[in-house]
């Protein structure tokens, strides 16, 4: 059904232990990304992730732009932080790559959907993603997976 709604059935790739992830290349807010859908063991959609791979000079502005779009749609986040190594850390891509700077915002909607917007770095690589997840379905699926072990 997700393949049909997204209109890209021939572009989906399946992956994961249970083939429970599907992804394709797309864009959000004008930024190219990999869009990934996660399904529970009984094939219910429980999460959608947008994973961005941008040039270094775009990450911080993209984070701020997407965050503002989410604020306009969902209101202020329940948690939002810019973590710096110290008071002198400048907001640059290099500091993100080095792990000296990160951004994180979290929302919870009235219908129990969590959103996490995260920009951070490690080992000279930047990670920037937006994840939507159904809190109850994720909890249910995680409990099912633990029971299988």
């Amino acid at each position: 059904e997700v393949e049909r709604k997204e209109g890209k059935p021939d572009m989906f790739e399946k992956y994961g232990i249970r083939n429970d992830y599907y992804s394709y290349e797309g864009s959000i807010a004008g930024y190219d990304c990999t869009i990934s859908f996660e399904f529970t063991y009984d094939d219910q959609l429980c999460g959608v992730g947008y994973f961005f791979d941008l040039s270094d000079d775009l990450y911080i502005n993209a984070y701020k732009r997407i965050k503002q779009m989410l604020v306009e749609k969902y209101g202020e986040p329940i948690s939002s932080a810019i973590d710096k190594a110290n008071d002198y850390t400048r907001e640059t891509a290099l500091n993100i790559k080095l792990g000296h700077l990160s951004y994180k915002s979290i929302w919870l909607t009235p219908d129990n959907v969590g959103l996490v917007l995260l920009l951070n770095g490690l080992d000279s690589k930047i990670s920037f993603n937006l994840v939507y997840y159904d809190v109850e379905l994720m909890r249910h699926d995680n409990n099912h997976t633990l029971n299988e072990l």
Side-chain angles (χ1 to χ4, degrees):
E1 169 135 356
V2 169
E3 292 174 2
R4 184 183 55 76
K5 281 187 177 180
E6 291 294 316
K8 303 175 186 310
D10 56 331
M11 296 175 62
F12 272 80
E13 289 183 38
K14 293 181 181 181
Y15 61 98
I17 295 170
R18 301 181 312 228
N19 277 331
D20 48 358
Y21 291 89
Y22 296 81
S23 68
Y24 69 93
E25 300 301 313
S27 68
I28 181 173
Y31 300 107
D32 292 338
C33 61
T34 298
I35 302 169
S36 180
F37 299 87
E38 181 179 1
F39 296 87
T40 63
Y41 70 94
D42 57 352
D43 292 329
Q44 295 182 70
L45 179 64
C46 61
V48 179
Y50 301 86
F51 304 93
F52 301 91
D53 186 14
L54 308 173
S55 62
D56 287 356
D57 60 327
L58 294 177
Y59 279 106
I60 294 171
N61 286 335
Y63 176 91
K64 291 177 180 179
R65 180 172 175 216
I66 292 172
K67 179 183 177 187
Q68 184 56 42
M69 292 171 67
L70 294 169
V71 166
E72 290 171 11
K73 185 169 184 174
Y74 300 106
E76 291 297 324
I78 59 172
S79 173
S80 188
I82 299 174
D83 292 323
K84 296 181 176 184
N86 58 53
D87 291 340
Y88 304 105
T89 301
R90 293 188 14 209
E91 293 188 37
T92 65
L94 178 59
N95 280 327
I96 295 170
K97 284 182 173 184
L98 295 173
H100 298 168
L101 175 67
S102 66
Y103 300 78
K104 183 176 185 179
S105 295
I106 301 170
W107 289 260
L108 184 61
T109 69
D111 54 348
N112 222 14
V113 173
L115 289 84
V116 177
L117 181 64
L118 180 63
L119 173 59
N120 62 8
L122 184 64
D123 296 330
S124 297
K125 294 184 181 172
I126 294 177
S127 175
F128 177 36
N129 53 64
L130 168 62
V131 176
Y132 289 76
Y133 60 94
D134 184 303
V135 174
E136 290 304 316
L137 283 177
M138 290 293 278
R139 184 177 297 129
H140 174 72
D141 195 52
N142 287 339
N143 287 339
H144 180 269
T145 301
L146 288 173
N147 288 336
E148 287 182 341
L149 297 176

